[in-house]
Amino acid sequence: MPKNDNIDNIIDHKLFSEDDIHQMCVRLGQQLTKDYAGKNPLIVGALKGAIFFLTDLVREMDVKEQIDFMDVSSYGDGLESSGNVKIVSDLATDVKDRDVLIVEDIVDTGLTLQFMKDLLKKRGAKSVKCCVLLNKEANRKNDIEVEYYGSKVGNEFVVGYGLDFMSFYRNLSYIGVLKPEVIKLAQK
Ligand code: PRP
């Protein structure tokens, strides 16, 4: 990690401002309001990255929903997915016959989402869809369907608004691209 924790030494450039993120939440919220009208979806947030997006998104949805969380991890503090997805903490809610909407901050390899979708279907959910803020397709390892997303992103390391680098920087109010030298330092 860089010794100087000044954020200007960490972030190369801002990718999405608070306003950009708000606009994405509004658009997705309106779409989900239409698509889940008359239903009682269970919103499943994937801890920890999704909490910022989830809390903003659900407030843009005029739907009678319920919320639960699941902590699944395939990265730990590492920079690349291990491919081995683990349940760190499970849902408290029975998903049988429920319309489930998984909310994620980012889909990258797609392994986490695939694991969650398969698991929730196996448990008897009536439908399982996902809404992710950022859709990074460059490293995708499957053909998982991403039903709703805020924006596509390139193969850059993004942090902020829930997205972390070695568990740091989740609390930035915007999404920024990490300086490549910061990643190199961490790999030493
Ligand atoms: C991140 C992110 C997604 C997953 C996406 O979670 O929140 O859940 O990685 O990557 P994938 O498409 O390659 O599987 P992480 O395991 O880092 O946990 P966190 O949410 O606590 O940061």
Side-chain angles (χ1 to χ4, degrees):
M1 291 291 291
K3 288 199 178 73
N4 187 342
D5 240 355
N6 182 333
I7 205 67
D8 294 335
N9 296 331
I10 308 287
I11 302 296
D12 188 74
H13 60 277
K14 202 181 261 193
L15 195 57
F16 297 111
S17 67
E18 278 183 78
D19 191 50
D20 295 334
I21 296 167
H22 177 67
Q23 294 308 323
M24 291 183 218
C25 291
V26 169
R27 175 176 57 76
L28 289 166
Q30 286 172 349
Q31 186 64 51
L32 291 163
T33 298
K34 276 191 204 148
D35 294 357
Y36 284 91
K39 295 182 178 169
N40 165 220
L42 178 69
I43 313 291
V44 170
L47 294 171
K48 309 181 211 36
I51 56 170
F52 297 76
F53 176 45
L54 185 146
T55 55
D56 286 340
L57 179 70
V58 294
R59 283 177 289 178
E60 302 297 336
M61 291 172 65
D62 187 8
V63 171
K64 192 181 169 201
E65 74 222 358
Q66 289 166 309
I67 299 171
D68 201 348
F69 293 95
M70 206 172 170
D71 191 357
V72 287
S73 188
S74 66
Y75 285 72
D77 272 349
L79 303 183
E80 282 178 19
S81 172
S82 66
N84 181 15
V85 187
K86 288 183 193 143
I87 302 178
V88 180
S89 160
D90 209 337
L91 293 172
T93 314
D94 185 358
V95 299
K96 192 162 171 11
D97 299 328
R98 299 296 304 266
D99 290 302
V100 176
L101 180 70
I102 299 169
V103 174
E104 268 282 26
D105 51 351
I106 191 165
V107 51
D108 186 1
T109 63
L111 295 171
T112 306
L113 211 43
Q114 184 78 67
F115 174 86
M116 290 181 74
K117 278 190 166 185
D118 290 349
L119 181 76
L120 298 172
K121 279 181 201 157
K122 221 184 291 169
R123 289 181 179 176
K126 193 201 293 182
S127 68
V128 183
K129 292 186 178 180
C130 67
C131 179
V132 307
L133 184 62
L134 303 181
N135 189 357
K136 191 193 249 194
E137 293 178 319
N139 305 319
R140 197 62 48 82
K141 292 194 173 152
N142 52 31
D143 57 359
I144 184 111
E145 188 178 354
V146 180
E147 288 86 1
Y148 305 93
Y149 63 87
S151 177
K152 290 191 180 183
V153 283
N155 196 16
E156 306 154 307
F157 203 112
V158 279
V159 293
Y161 195 68
L163 295 147
D164 73 302
F165 172 64
M166 300 177 81
S167 298
F168 294 107
Y169 314 121
R170 291 191 200 274
N171 64 336
L172 294 177
S173 54
Y174 59 90
I175 294 172
V177 174
L178 209 62
K179 288 190 174 182
E181 56 264 37
V182 177
I183 302 172
K184 281 190 197 128
L185 267 176
Q187 286 167 334
K188 280 183 182 167

